[in-house]
């Protein structure tokens, strides 16, 4: 059974810069446990955290513009953290089973010149056996690639 070891969310609603668990980009954290409870007062981002997982799923299975508008999210301008000029960014550190190597999924969403949300960067990577320092990218889509394709 798969397990999320850590997640980082930047500029998604009230979650300006949140990191939970261990990430490829920050190995200092502890892996998330099998059960995680998120507790806090109203308005601190608990529902936003839960919605972030739904948002990522909708981005993958439909498209970014649809995901921004779905479930009364109100579009990109309502989703991005108030006052932020930076893109929405997610990093998920995941392990398929206890014997597998962790996988990192990163998704960055910004607005294009036509004021529409788009995938600025999407990356899926994993270390190969005996590879110590950096992961190998299996999927890597960036702004540069998008500009070439347009």
């Amino acid at each position: 059974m798969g397990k999320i070891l850590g997640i980082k969310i930047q500029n998604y609603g009230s979650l300006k810069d949140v990191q939970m668990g261990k990430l490829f980009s920050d190995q200092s954290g502890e892996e998330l446990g099998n059960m995680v409870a998120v507790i806090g007062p109203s308005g601190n981002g608990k529902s936003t955290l839960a919605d972030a997982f739904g948002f990522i799923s909708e981005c993958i299975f439909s498209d970014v513009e649809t995901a921004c508008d779905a479930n009364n999210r109100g579009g990109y301008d309502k989703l991005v953290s108030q006052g932020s000029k930076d893109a929405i960014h997610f990093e998920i550190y995941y392990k398929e089973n206890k014997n597998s190597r962790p996988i990192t999924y990163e998704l960055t969403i910004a607005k294009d010149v036509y004021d529409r949300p788009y995938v600025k960067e999407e990356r899926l990577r994993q270390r190969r056996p005996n590879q110590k320092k950096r992961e190998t990218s299996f999927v890597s889509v960036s702004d540069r690639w998008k500009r070439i394709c347009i």
Side-chain angles (χ1 to χ4, degrees):
M1 177 181 231
K3 179 181 176 183
I4 293 176
L5 305 174
I7 183 167
K8 182 175 187 173
I9 303 171
Q10 294 174 302
N11 301 315
Y12 186 78
S14 59
L15 306 176
K16 178 80 172 144
D17 192 7
V18 172
Q19 178 177 322
M20 295 172 29
K22 184 176 185 176
L23 299 169
F24 175 74
S25 64
D26 183 0
Q27 295 284 304
S28 66
E30 296 274 330
E31 293 181 2
L32 294 176
N34 290 333
M35 182 187 292
V36 176
V38 180
I39 302 168
S42 295
N44 279 356
K46 299 180 301 296
S47 296
T48 305
L49 177 64
D51 183 61
F53 287 100
F55 178 76
I56 293 166
S57 176
E58 288 167 19
C59 286
I60 293 168
F61 291 107
S62 62
D63 62 81
V64 174
E65 198 163 7
T66 301
C68 286
D69 293 331
N71 297 325
N72 297 319
R73 290 189 185 112
Y76 180 87
D77 290 332
K78 297 280 186 190
L79 284 178
V80 71
S81 294
Q82 189 174 15
S84 178
K85 302 219 184 266
D86 296 326
I88 296 171
H89 178 77
F90 302 96
E91 179 183 344
I92 299 174
Y93 201 48
Y94 169 83
K95 200 170 189 177
E96 187 59 38
N97 59 54
K98 68 179 183 173
N99 298 319
S100 66
R101 294 176 317 280
I103 297 168
T104 300
Y105 176 71
E106 293 177 83
L107 178 64
T108 305
I109 298 163
K111 282 174 66 174
D112 66 14
V113 295
Y114 303 107
D115 221 26
R116 295 177 307 198
Y118 76 102
V119 175
K120 181 174 183 177
E121 184 173 12
E122 184 174 30
R123 187 172 185 184
L124 181 66
R125 55 189 172 161
Q126 182 179 39
R127 279 195 183 119
R128 291 183 177 163
N130 302 319
Q131 187 178 11
K132 301 243 189 279
K133 291 195 176 179
R134 50 182 269 252
E135 294 179 319
T136 300
S137 292
F138 293 96
V139 174
S140 183
V141 178
S142 68
D143 251 9
R144 188 172 151 223
W145 180 84
K146 184 179 189 302
R147 285 193 299 267
I148 292 168
C149 294
I150 292 177

